[in-house]
């Protein structure tokens, strides 16, 4: 198996993961998904580091990925607490709720048109009744008010 | 413009349009077309990569890479945050498979344990606490979907082209007496100019964990200590941020009542 070809393929996959994470960070407005996109960028860098580590037969890349994992764990703990605090103060996970923190010469982002909510009727599986007839009506038993 | 460059250009354009169609924009149309375009651009990017040489290695690598990249796209573009988290877990599985394929056994397992076991569960807990009713309007719109999709696609294209150029065979002369590598192109290329180093296969040996632990706790011992201290500081910081807000809210409410 060609080491050089393997390295090139891994670097391209890492670059793709990094760029997709960048797109997620730029577009999404949900704070949790933005944070998840940052973790995805870290994954892309980790793939590249492991590939370099294998290519040079050196442990440095893998050791660095272990420290990346450690930093990601710390970061996740702090960021999730901060996201929860921001949610308690604004009532939503929308990052646009905090845009009054912007500088004075920046214009605010205004939602021109909010998309309609897509109302989807949930399709619950209907089980065929079997055995002794239950006392309760079936509709009441399969009814789920909230998932 | 060479054939590779034109293929890269087409793949970048397809990726930009496909990502734009896939991103939540408020309108629901075009997602199937976006999936098709994104798959086509992935295929074009993959067609420009060198072959690995052995069939089983190619099958395993392309399967893992396809799982990783496609579930990453799903994790970024889907509207429901819970589905995003689940597809991110799929990305992690693909990544750890890629790590295992490179012989990094410890990292493959540690990625699953740390990310899927701890970080992803934290995501889901926060989602459950903060967004119990599921879909919110801000998940159905996104900031500047077109510009961001173009930025991402151009970044993928540029990085792929740069990596491909760096690995392309260049004309160079090796001066054996001086141990110099002189490129006639004038650019010193660290990869193409050298032979692949003679392998001792330390990373692929059976005593992988032994060597990794020895490296970690001898050469990088201070870094390990610093990382442990940082974990403790993060723990204390998270707890202090979390419990600080409750008395604040209570005192504010009390002041209002009093």
């Amino acid at each position: 198996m060609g080491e050089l070809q393997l390295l090139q393929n891994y670097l391209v996959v890492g670059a793709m993961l990094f760029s997709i994470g960048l797109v997620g960070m730029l577009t999404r407005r949900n704070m949790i998904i933005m944070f998840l996109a940052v973790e995805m960028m870290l994954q892309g860098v980790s793939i590249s580091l492991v590939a370099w580590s294998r290519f040079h037969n050196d442990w440095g890349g893998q050791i660095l990925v272990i420290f990346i994992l450690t930093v990601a764990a710390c970061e996740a703990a702090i960021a999730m607490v901060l996201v929860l605090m921001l949610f308690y103060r604004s009532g939503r996970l929308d990052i646009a709720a905090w845009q009054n923190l912007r500088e004075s010469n920046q214009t605010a982002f205004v939602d021109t048109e909010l998309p309609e909510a897509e109302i989807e009727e949930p399709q619950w599986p209907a089980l065929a009744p079997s055995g002794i007839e239950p006392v309760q009506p079936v509709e009441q038993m399969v009814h789920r008010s909230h998932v | 413009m060479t054939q590779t460059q034109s293929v890269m250009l087409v793949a970048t354009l397809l990726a930009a349009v496909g990502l734009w169609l896939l991103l939540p924009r408020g309108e629901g149309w075009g997602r199937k077309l976006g999936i098709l375009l994104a798959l086509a651009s992935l295929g074009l990017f993959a067609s420009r990569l060198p072959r690995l040489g052995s069939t089983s290695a190619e099958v395993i690598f392309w399967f893992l890479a396809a799982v990783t990249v496609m579930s990453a796209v799903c994790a970024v573009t889907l509207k429901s945050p819970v589905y995003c988290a689940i597809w991110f877990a799929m990305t992690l599985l693909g990544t750890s498979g890629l790590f295992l394929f490179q012989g990094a056994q410890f990292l493959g397992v540690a990625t699953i344990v740390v990310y899927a076991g701890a970080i992803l569960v934290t995501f889901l807990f926060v989602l459950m606490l903060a967004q119990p009713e599921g879909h919110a309007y801000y998940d159905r719109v996104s900031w500047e979907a077109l510009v961001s999709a173009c930025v991402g696609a151009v970044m993928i294209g540029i990085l792929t082209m740069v990596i491909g150029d760096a690995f392309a065979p260049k004309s160079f002369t090796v001066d054996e007496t001086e141990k110099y590598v002189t490129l006639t192109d004038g650019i010193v290329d660290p990869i193409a100019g050298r032979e692949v180093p003679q392998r001792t296969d330390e990373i692929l040996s059976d005593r992988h964990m032994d060597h990794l632990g020895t490296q970690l706790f001898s050469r990088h011992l201070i870094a390990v200590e610093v990382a442990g201290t940082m974990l403790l500081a993060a723990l204390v910081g998270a707890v202090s941020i979390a419990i600080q807000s409750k008395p604040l809210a209570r005192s504010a409410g009390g002041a209002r009542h009093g």
Side-chain angles (χ1 to χ4, degrees):
Chain A
M1 194 159 51
E3 298 293 329
L4 206 59
Q5 288 84 357
L6 201 61
L7 173 64
Q8 183 176 352
N9 285 333
Y10 265 73
L11 288 185
V12 169
V13 171
M16 279 187 179
L17 215 54
F18 186 86
S19 308
I20 292 168
L22 179 71
V23 171
M25 180 71 195
L26 286 176
T27 52
R28 299 307 295 261
R29 286 174 61 176
N30 193 326
M31 282 189 281
I32 294 177
I33 300 180
M34 288 170 73
F35 187 68
L36 196 140
V38 174
E39 299 288 327
M40 197 178 287
M41 292 168 82
L42 287 181
Q43 289 289 312
V45 175
S46 300
I47 287 178
S48 303
L49 281 175
V50 169
W52 282 115
S53 166
R54 162 81 180 269
F55 180 71
H56 287 298
N57 205 16
D58 185 89
W59 293 99
Q62 297 198 13
I63 303 278
L64 190 49
V65 174
I66 292 177
F67 289 126
I68 287 179
L69 277 178
T70 314
V71 171
C74 298
E75 188 195 327
I78 303 269
M80 284 301 116
V81 172
L82 284 177
V83 164
L84 268 187
M85 288 304 110
L86 294 177
F87 173 75
Y88 285 147
R89 291 187 184 218
S90 76
R92 50 201 171 131
L93 288 173
D94 192 0
I95 197 71
W98 298 98
Q99 61 177 332
N100 53 2
L101 294 175
R102 69 189 187 279
E103 294 195 0
S104 55
N105 54 357
Q106 300 290 320
T107 52
F109 177 85
V110 183
D111 285 324
T112 49
E113 29 138 10
L114 285 181
E116 292 290 317
E118 293 166 9
I119 299 162
E120 298 165 1
E121 281 297 317
Q123 301 279 325
W124 304 118
L127 299 178
S130 66
I132 304 168
E133 180 96 9
V135 185
Q136 289 175 317
V138 181
E139 292 82 17
Q140 196 178 338
M141 293 190 70
V142 298
H143 176 69
R144 299 171 77 175
S145 65
H146 186 71
V147 178
Chain B
M1 185 182 280
T2 63
Q3 191 201 356
T4 306
Q5 281 172 339
S6 49
V7 169
M8 287 292 174
L9 196 62
V10 172
T12 307
L13 277 177
L14 286 183
V17 178
L19 270 180
W20 175 66
L21 286 174
L22 279 174
L23 282 173
R25 288 162 295 132
E27 308 102 21
W29 55 271
R31 288 188 65 86
K32 282 176 184 165
L33 184 63
I35 293 172
L36 276 182
L37 290 181
L39 282 179
S41 77
L42 265 185
L44 283 182
F45 277 123
S47 71
R48 289 291 113 188
L49 287 177
R51 303 277 80 85
L52 289 180
S54 103
T55 313
S56 58
E58 290 222 353
V59 169
I60 295 173
F61 172 76
W62 288 116
F63 174 71
L64 290 175
V67 164
T68 309
V69 174
M70 285 180 199
S71 50
V73 172
C74 286
V76 164
T77 55
L78 281 181
K79 288 176 190 168
S80 166
V82 180
Y83 284 159
C84 289
I86 291 171
W87 279 109
F88 180 63
M90 202 67 206
T91 312
L92 293 176
L93 287 182
T95 311
S96 73
L98 285 173
F99 285 169
L100 286 178
F101 191 59
Q102 284 281 41
Q105 306 159 11
F106 176 73
L107 286 178
V109 177
T111 303
I112 293 183
V113 169
V114 173
Y115 271 105
I119 295 182
L120 203 68
V121 173
T122 320
F123 280 148
L124 290 175
F125 263 114
V126 173
L127 273 179
M128 189 181 70
L129 286 173
Q131 214 176 16
E133 72 279 352
H135 299 286
Y137 72 91
Y138 46 84
D139 284 327
R140 299 196 297 272
V141 291
S142 47
W143 307 100
E144 303 290 343
L146 182 59
V147 181
S148 309
C150 287
V151 166
V154 166
M155 192 151 174
I156 293 177
I158 287 178
L159 283 174
T160 311
M161 273 186 72
V162 165
I163 292 169
D165 281 348
F167 285 72
K170 287 204 173 67
S171 55
F172 61 92
T173 56
V174 179
D175 191 352
E176 282 299 326
T177 57
E178 295 285 333
K179 300 290 182 204
Y180 278 152
V181 176
T182 312
L183 288 179
T184 51
D185 290 5
I187 307 166
V188 175
D189 191 321
I191 303 151
R194 279 183 209 159
E195 288 288 313
V196 176
Q198 195 60 41
R199 309 188 63 81
T200 50
D201 278 344
E202 198 182 323
I203 284 186
L204 294 180
S205 73
D206 288 341
R207 301 171 52 107
H208 176 92
M209 280 302 299
D210 190 356
H211 290 143
L212 184 66
T214 310
Q215 282 278 321
L216 190 59
F217 289 108
S218 61
R219 264 187 80 180
H220 304 278
L221 183 61
I222 295 177
V224 171
E225 300 289 341
V226 171
T229 315
M230 196 172 63
L231 278 169
L232 182 66
L235 176 70
V236 173
V239 170
S240 70
I241 293 172
I243 63 174
Q244 203 185 13
S245 68
K246 293 276 172 61
L248 268 181
R250 212 174 286 141
S251 69
R256 204 179 299 127
H257 287 304

